[in-house]
Amino acid sequence: MGHGRKISVTGLGYVGLPVAVAFGRQGRVIGFDLNSQRVSELKGGQDRTREVDAEELLGAEVLFTDDPTDLGRADFHIVAVPTPIDGAKRPDLSPLLGASRTVGAQLKAGDIVVFESTVYPGATEEECVPVLEAASKLRCGEDFTVGYSPERINPGDREHRFTTITKVVSGQDAATLETVAAVYESVVEAGVHRAATIKVAEAAKVIENTQRDLNIALMNELALIFERMGIDTRDVLAAAGTKWNFLPFKPGLVGGHCIGVDPYYLTHKATMLGYYPQVILAGRRINDGMGAYVASQVVKGLIHEGVGVRGARVTVLGLTFKEDVPDLRNTRVIDIVRELLDYGVHVQVCDPLADAAEARREYGIELVDADRAEPADCVLLAVAHHDYLSGEWARIGALLRDRRGVVVDVKGALPRDSLPEGVRLWRL
């Protein structure tokens, strides 16, 4: 390694694992995670997130460990743990602060700690540094330094990868910044962008997803309006999209661990500073309400077909937060399911990629194999997994009672030109 640093990565999920593997192609990396089962799987070449295949895992020189003392072998520590929100939509920094304590206990003079987790501007220096100092008994800026380099991992995206996306880097002083830049430049083919300060880098990350959230919220609001006008929203977007500078956003459920979460980090900090955000929170309210709206369209469709709502059977296809990934975190499909259950509908949820135990633990849902599901009055395509689209209408129709009923296509992924007779289609 030209930068001469020994690297550790704390948190081996969707973000941390690709980082550890990329550096592991250069030389020994310490890959630490609290989850011993996760560590055991990675040692065996298995990545349940499907972000890294077995050949890549086994070809990288990574010491996968759940022993925090192994972190002491490194002098450049990357922290990539989740930063979720709690039930009140407030930032939950407990995983990040816990990781800071773990890393801090192993810090030595001359070490650098770089955080990749999404946070609000100021969190690295105001929240994490005091924890690092307390755990290490060292002084930040004198004995060790910190930096921030926001993650830009897009789960399931085989084109935009850790090494092919420009990396934003920052450091608390000029020397740290250059070291952080040199370390990431050694593996990131797309190069790095040196942010002016740590706070600037933190802010850049949090607004990337806030911008997407607001654009999708606009599309969702348009969908609500056009529904009342009897206009198909996606037809409108196809027409508008012929203009060279029209942005290609679409309506949909906004979940996952980034777009549906990051804006709350920014609004939380703004509120602390005495400013109550209006546009950002308005967009969040629209997006958070889309599950209930979709459920209401299911009920309307059933009524139009003469099916009694209470006791009707609806098969929901897909529970993960996006297509072709197994990640269940912050999935908004659950909003549709819960709303339908409140209507007295019998719901069976199918997802070939989701982990059944996790679905049960996190959401109380027992997943059903689609091929063994009871015939339904309505099929709701919530997540456009390739498995569901490969057979198109033959696949969907086979799940309906007598191949007739309501189909709700949240993603607008099914072809309208071959709509079977006896099927009532609604799409967002």
Side-chain angles (χ1 to χ4, degrees):
M1 300 184 186
H3 47 74
R5 287 284 177 165
K6 297 176 181 177
I7 295 169
S8 78
V9 178
T10 295
L12 300 175
Y14 284 85
V15 174
L17 182 61
V19 172
V21 168
F23 282 112
R25 296 191 190 104
Q26 295 182 333
R28 174 56 67 94
V29 170
I30 308 299
F32 172 78
D33 199 287
L34 286 173
N35 188 332
S36 56
Q37 181 181 351
R38 172 73 167 158
V39 170
S40 178
E41 290 172 355
L42 293 174
K43 285 180 178 179
Q46 178 189 354
D47 172 27
R48 69 175 72 170
T49 70
R50 304 191 181 192
E51 290 299 303
V52 180
D53 60 36
E55 184 178 351
E56 291 176 301
L57 269 180
L58 298 175
E61 194 177 348
V62 182
L63 172 64
F64 294 114
T65 179
D66 56 2
D67 182 355
T69 62
D70 286 327
L71 294 170
R73 306 186 194 187
D75 55 28
F76 189 97
H77 306 276
I78 297 172
V79 177
V81 296
T83 44
I85 52 176
D86 63 19
K89 302 188 186 304
R90 296 172 301 196
D92 178 7
L93 294 179
S94 56
L96 184 63
L97 299 181
S100 297
R101 280 189 290 273
T102 299
V103 172
Q106 307 302 324
L107 279 185
K108 309 174 298 300
D111 283 8
I112 295 177
V113 182
V114 177
F115 294 91
E116 289 209 4
S117 306
T118 302
V119 292
Y120 52 77
T124 297
E125 292 155 298
E126 297 165 11
E127 304 290 343
C128 298
V129 164
V131 174
L132 290 171
E133 289 183 326
S136 65
K137 304 297 191 294
L138 301 174
R139 290 297 301 273
C140 185
E142 297 177 11
D143 303 311
F144 70 92
T145 57
V146 297
Y148 182 79
S149 181
E151 60 91 359
R152 282 175 165 171
I153 297 295
N154 185 26
D157 190 336
R158 310 310 294 181
E159 179 183 355
H160 302 98
R161 313 290 288 168
F162 169 66
T163 58
T164 62
I165 305 171
T166 300
K167 199 79 168 81
V168 173
V169 296
S170 64
Q172 70 180 93
D173 54 45
T176 300
L177 173 61
E178 290 310 310
T179 300
V180 173
V183 169
Y184 281 107
E185 280 177 329
S186 70
V187 293
V188 178
E189 300 161 10
V192 304
H193 172 86
R194 292 165 172 79
T197 65
I198 289 177
K199 284 185 179 180
V200 166
E202 292 168 327
K205 167 57 183 175
V206 82
I207 72 164
E208 288 173 17
N209 286 323
T210 300
Q211 182 186 68
R212 285 186 56 79
D213 192 43
L214 283 171
N215 276 294
I216 297 171
L218 173 60
M219 297 302 107
N220 280 333
E221 187 161 61
L222 292 176
L224 298 176
I225 294 170
F226 293 146
E227 172 70 24
R228 287 161 172 76
M229 296 179 176
I231 303 173
D232 187 286
T233 303
R234 292 175 191 271
D235 285 345
V236 176
L237 295 180
T242 60
K243 189 168 187 284
W244 71 91
N245 60 353
F246 186 82
L247 301 178
F249 288 94
K250 297 177 182 178
L253 303 175
V254 183
H257 56 98
C258 289
I259 301 177
V261 172
D262 295 358
Y264 289 118
Y265 274 74
L266 185 57
T267 58
H268 171 78
K269 184 64 175 181
T271 303
M272 288 174 59
L273 296 173
Y275 179 79
Y276 185 78
Q278 299 178 59
V279 174
I280 297 172
L281 288 175
R284 281 279 75 236
R285 283 193 295 273
I286 291 171
N287 287 342
D288 279 348
M290 293 309 290
Y293 172 68
V294 171
S296 73
Q297 296 304 313
V298 173
V299 170
K300 287 181 181 179
L302 292 171
I303 292 172
H304 277 291
E305 291 299 299
V307 177
V309 175
R310 185 171 182 82
R313 180 173 283 111
V314 175
T315 296
V316 175
L317 299 180
L319 181 61
T320 64
F321 90 90
K322 69 180 290 190
E323 61 275 6
D324 299 324
V325 300
D327 195 348
L328 288 175
R329 286 178 296 172
N330 195 37
T331 175
R332 301 297 11 123
V333 178
I334 190 63
D335 297 341
I336 302 176
V337 174
R338 288 170 177 165
E339 193 76 9
L340 289 174
L341 291 173
D342 283 346
Y343 279 110
V345 172
H346 177 70
V347 183
Q348 46 192 2
V349 183
C350 313
D351 196 311
L353 298 184
D355 181 80
E358 185 179 0
R360 186 182 306 114
R361 181 178 65 252
E362 296 297 326
Y363 302 109
I365 287 179
E366 294 292 338
L367 293 178
V368 177
D369 188 320
D371 294 328
R372 298 178 181 175
E374 294 290 330
D377 301 294
C378 170
V379 171
L380 192 154
L381 180 62
V383 187
H385 290 320
H386 175 76
D387 181 62
Y388 295 140
L389 300 181
S390 58
E392 295 188 348
W393 284 112
R395 176 84 164 119
I396 302 299
L399 301 173
L400 288 170
R401 194 188 310 275
D402 300 323
R403 293 186 175 272
R404 303 177 66 87
V406 179
V407 172
V408 171
D409 183 4
V410 174
K411 301 292 289 186
L414 296 169
R416 285 182 302 170
D417 55 3
S418 56
L419 180 67
E421 185 178 351
V423 172
R424 179 187 184 90
L425 174 65
W426 180 88
R427 62 184 194 166
L428 182 61

